[in-house]
Amino acid sequence: MTSHDERHALLDELDLLRARRAELEATFAADDHPHDMGEQSEATQRRDELTWVDGRIRDITYLLDAAARAGNGLPGRVCVGSVVALRYPDGRSERLKVTRVPDDDFPTVTPESPLGRALLGAGVGDEIEWAAPEGRLRARVESVDSDVGGER
């Protein structure tokens, strides 16, 4: 999987799966103990679907991570381990690292976060957009530096 469109299709599917997972979990919280066979059957079907959804989320996350690692050799493209400089429309700038490991000394973002998802695969000069609690945010990728440590 190397194409930008394939990656975005997987990210979209991941969003849908996570939303479905939340819906399924909510039904378990709302259920009290099933009283008849029909209710028990429905609960079993929801548990089976939740197991399938969890497996698919795990598979897609693995594919996206593998694709990000494969992209480590592409200059100017954001992948796991990249340090990125962003410029916001208001002129403000920020440098952060796309990583799974938090760093107390440097701002980080996980590849699964909305900003991390928008960054993965982006190149220098690309405009990115993502959902945040305060609404849709935008920024331009000013620079992309590979991590010297080569995060895996």
Side-chain angles (χ1 to χ4, degrees), residues 119-131:
L119 282 168
L120 286 178
V124 174
D126 286 353
E127 295 281 334
I128 61 167
E129 187 174 310
W130 67 98

Side-chain angles (χ1 to χ4, degrees), residues 3-14:
S3 94
H4 187 303
D5 291 339
E6 289 172 323
R7 184 178 65 79
H8 277 285
L10 286 174
L11 290 170
D12 290 343
E13 183 180 353
L14 193 57

Side-chain angles (χ1 to χ4, degrees), residues 76-90:
R77 292 285 172 190
V78 178
C79 58
V80 175
S82 294
V83 175
V84 182
L86 297 176
R87 173 129 356 242
Y88 295 93
D90 64 4

Side-chain angles (χ1 to χ4, degrees), residues 47-118:
R47 275 193 300 276
D48 289 346
E49 183 179 358
L50 184 62
T51 299
W52 181 86
V53 166
D54 283 341
R56 184 67 182 148
I57 288 172
R58 192 172 41 255
D59 292 346
I60 290 173
T61 302
Y62 172 81
L63 289 170
L64 290 170
D65 189 46
R69 288 181 191 181
N72 274 344
L74 299 175
R77 292 285 172 190
V78 178
C79 58
V80 175
S82 294
V83 175
V84 182
L86 297 176
R87 173 129 356 242
Y88 295 93
D90 64 4
R92 197 169 46 86
S93 64
E94 175 180 33
R95 282 180 52 87
L96 49 88
K97 182 176 182 178
V98 180
T99 181
R100 296 185 192 293
V101 181
D103 184 340
D104 291 336
D105 299 325
F106 198 84
T108 60
V109 60
T110 66
E112 293 84 12
S113 69
L115 174 55
R117 289 184 50 217

Side-chain angles (χ1 to χ4, degrees), residues 30-51:
D31 279 349
D32 51 4
H33 301 288
H35 299 289
D36 63 30
M37 295 299 280
E39 289 175 345
Q40 289 175 5
S41 175
E42 289 174 15
T44 299
Q45 286 176 335
R46 287 193 309 271
R47 275 193 300 276
D48 289 346
E49 183 179 358
L50 184 62
T51 299

Side-chain angles (χ1 to χ4, degrees), residues 133-149:
E134 56 273 15
R136 304 258 342 139
L137 298 178
R138 290 183 347 209
R140 185 168 50 111
V141 177
E142 294 284 309
S143 69
V144 178
D145 299 315
S146 297
D147 179 32
V148 176

